[in-house]
Amino acid sequence: MAVAMIELAGQRCEACRRGAPAATEAEIAEFSKQIPEWEIVDRGGIPALERVFRLGDFVEAMAFANRVGELAEEQGHHPALLTEWGRVTVTWWTHKIGNLHVNDFVMAAKTDAAFGGG
Amino acid sequence: MAVAMIELAGQRCEACRRGAPAATEAEIAEFSKQIPEWEIVDRGGIPALERVFRLGDFVEAMAFANRVGELAEEQGHHPALLTEWGRVTVTWWTHKIGNLHVNDFVMAAKTDAAFGGG
């Protein structure tokens, strides 16, 4: 049950291959503490991490979506970004395994950092 | 029943106020012909125009979302833009009237033009 206390936002996203292990329950419990504003939602039978970020208007929402998009490209792991007037809903999950991977928690933490630094 | 044959993509989006008239059935029938790839979907009880655009990868999807976002800002009418790897789902409806306004058809046609010109 021991999960190393890793500071998520500082991690790199590991390349995720088909068959890579999904996050374990212990990892999910531990990592969720570091990203308390995210919830695990069901996306057509696949668990995903999701958070709604509030921004001032459409332009700010688009700018934040772009920051998250750049992060995604850097790390080679891509979210769904729903951009609307004054908000962006960010959803992370791992397509190749149809599940949550540790990468998704890393990316959620990086998204929080990008928002805080925005 | 006569609806003037207006070329939608060339129109400007009129400022839409609370209480503005929703698109009539005749308008919807006529305008839908000009945007055959869009479907009318239900968004929590509100009708909306939606189309999925296929792009080459995440960067291209993000770039197209930005083009649509710029169009939205120019016209003062804002969509929901769901950006994922290789695709963008664009949804137009009129928040203030909780319905479809002629503006939404104009914006859908402009979105098609932005995609074609992309």
Side-chain angles (χ1 to χ4, degrees):
Chain A
M1 292 293 282
V3 175
M5 262 302 293
I6 296 167
E7 200 265 304
L8 285 176
Q11 300 304 302
R12 280 204 65 81
C13 191
E14 291 172 26
C16 191
R17 67 197 184 283
R18 217 172 288 273
T24 64
E25 277 185 40
E27 284 171 332
I28 290 173
E30 181 55 41
F31 295 154
S32 292
K33 291 181 202 159
Q34 293 188 46
I35 53 163
E37 312 228 42
W38 293 74
E39 50 180 347
I40 297 178
V41 298
D42 182 290
R43 233 183 122 88
I46 294 172
L49 289 170
E50 191 161 279
R51 179 179 169 188
V52 178
F53 293 86
R54 303 280 168 183
L55 289 302
D57 58 19
F58 188 80
V59 170
E60 284 185 25
M62 202 77 234
F64 179 63
N66 278 295
R67 285 206 297 281
V68 180
E70 284 164 24
L71 208 53
E73 273 296 298
E74 277 168 28
Q75 301 285 330
H77 190 54
H78 298 93
L81 298 171
L82 177 60
T83 307
E84 298 169 278
W85 196 98
R87 67 181 203 171
V88 179
T89 306
V90 182
T91 313
W92 293 103
W93 76 102
T94 298
H95 314 242
K96 284 194 183 147
I97 62 173
N99 209 333
L100 285 172
H101 186 273
V102 173
N103 282 349
D104 298 303
F105 292 86
V106 170
M107 294 309 293
K110 287 183 187 291
T111 308
D112 282 350
F115 186 65
Chain B
M1 290 296 282
V3 175
M5 263 302 292
I6 296 167
E7 200 265 304
L8 285 175
Q11 300 303 302
R12 279 203 67 79
C13 190
E14 290 173 26
C16 190
R17 66 196 185 284
R18 218 171 286 274
T24 64
E25 277 185 40
E27 285 170 334
I28 290 173
E30 180 56 40
F31 296 153
S32 292
K33 291 181 203 159
Q34 293 189 44
I35 52 163
E37 312 230 41
W38 294 74
E39 50 179 348
I40 297 178
V41 298
D42 183 290
R43 232 183 123 87
I46 293 173
L49 289 170
E50 192 162 278
R51 180 178 168 188
V52 178
F53 293 87
R54 303 280 168 183
L55 288 304
D57 57 19
F58 188 80
V59 171
E60 284 185 25
M62 202 77 235
F64 180 63
N66 278 296
R67 285 206 298 282
V68 179
E70 284 165 24
L71 208 53
E73 272 298 296
E74 277 168 26
Q75 302 284 331
H77 191 54
H78 299 94
L81 297 172
L82 177 61
T83 307
E84 298 169 279
W85 197 98
R87 68 183 201 169
V88 179
T89 305
V90 182
T91 311
W92 293 103
W93 76 102
T94 299
H95 314 242
K96 283 193 183 147
I97 62 173
N99 209 332
L100 285 172
H101 185 273
V102 171
N103 282 350
D104 298 304
F105 292 86
V106 170
M107 295 309 294
K110 286 183 187 292
T111 308
D112 282 350
F115 185 65

